[in-house]
Amino acid sequence: MLPLTDRAVRASFVNCTKGETQRLAVPRDLADQPWPDLDFYGWRDPSARDRGYLVAPRDTGLVGVALRVAAHTGHLRRGMCSLCLTTHPGDGVSLMTARKSTRRDDSVGIYICGDLACPLHVRGKLTTGKRLKESLTTDEQLARMTSNLSAFLDRVTA
Ligand SMILES: [Zn+2]
């Protein structure tokens, strides 16, 4: 994807109020992100570990979603990300929920790599997770990840 600026990131959020968008923690090292290897950009708030964010380019423009990271219940041994199908031991996969629009009472959840770095796991740039051996090419696996993400974003914005 194309490199993002702080301004573009903040302007992309579909489920935050204006105040939340101004306050949310956008990484300062945007210029150093591996943009050519990213199909979407996700990060955790280093000072509020229950918050995660992802921003994805869509046909209609950039769509950013703020996520709440559910606390782990402790008995999850290994989880699989529902976007990129990488498995991680322990709490490497998290249940994250996105509020629909700015209404607090309605949200949708997804099991996703806790580091929100799915594109890097699929490309083999990160090896902290385990990838299934499958006959699909990397491009096909990326297409599947993008389509899974698209389905989730459709649910958030529905
Ligand atoms: Zn993933």
Side-chain angles (χ1 to χ4, degrees):
M1 64 190 285
L2 295 172
L4 298 179
T5 61
D6 181 282
R7 197 191 176 123
V9 167
R10 288 184 200 279
S12 72
F13 284 90
V14 295
N15 67 341
C16 294
T17 63
K18 259 210 165 105
E20 287 167 340
T21 302
Q22 283 160 4
R23 289 190 301 271
L24 69 82
V26 175
R28 286 162 199 264
D29 58 349
L30 286 178
D32 302 327
Q33 298 302 317
W35 298 109
D37 287 329
L38 297 179
D39 308 272
F40 69 86
Y41 177 52
W43 73 98
R44 296 283 288 270
D45 183 339
S47 61
R49 292 301 290 168
D50 64 335
R51 286 167 201 267
Y53 304 94
L54 72 82
V55 177
R58 303 197 81 186
D59 296 342
T60 50
L62 274 184
V63 172
V65 171
L67 300 155
R68 264 313 161 105
V69 185
H72 274 276
T73 49
H75 53 73
L76 189 68
R77 281 271 180 270
R78 174 175 285 277
M80 181 184 278
C81 173
S82 54
L83 290 187
C84 70
L85 311 190
T86 300
T87 54
H88 298 269
D91 60 359
V93 171
S94 296
L95 172 60
M96 301 197 191
T97 56
R99 208 163 73 201
K100 295 180 70 164
S101 70
T102 50
R103 295 194 308 257
R104 286 182 180 279
D105 51 347
D106 198 4
S107 63
V108 291
I110 189 171
Y111 281 91
I112 184 171
C113 295
D115 56 11
L116 291 151
C118 302
L120 300 179
H121 290 295
V122 174
R123 287 183 173 82
K125 306 275 177 181
L126 286 177
T127 52
T128 47
K130 224 184 171 131
R131 302 283 305 160
L132 291 171
K133 289 219 184 338
E134 46 183 353
S135 54
L136 295 183
T137 65
T138 301
D139 280 348
E140 287 167 337
Q141 293 177 48
L142 289 166
R144 178 178 59 195
M145 175 193 74
T146 302
S147 124
N148 290 338
L149 175 62
S150 182
F152 174 67
L153 295 176
D154 283 345
R155 286 168 62 212
V156 175
T157 55

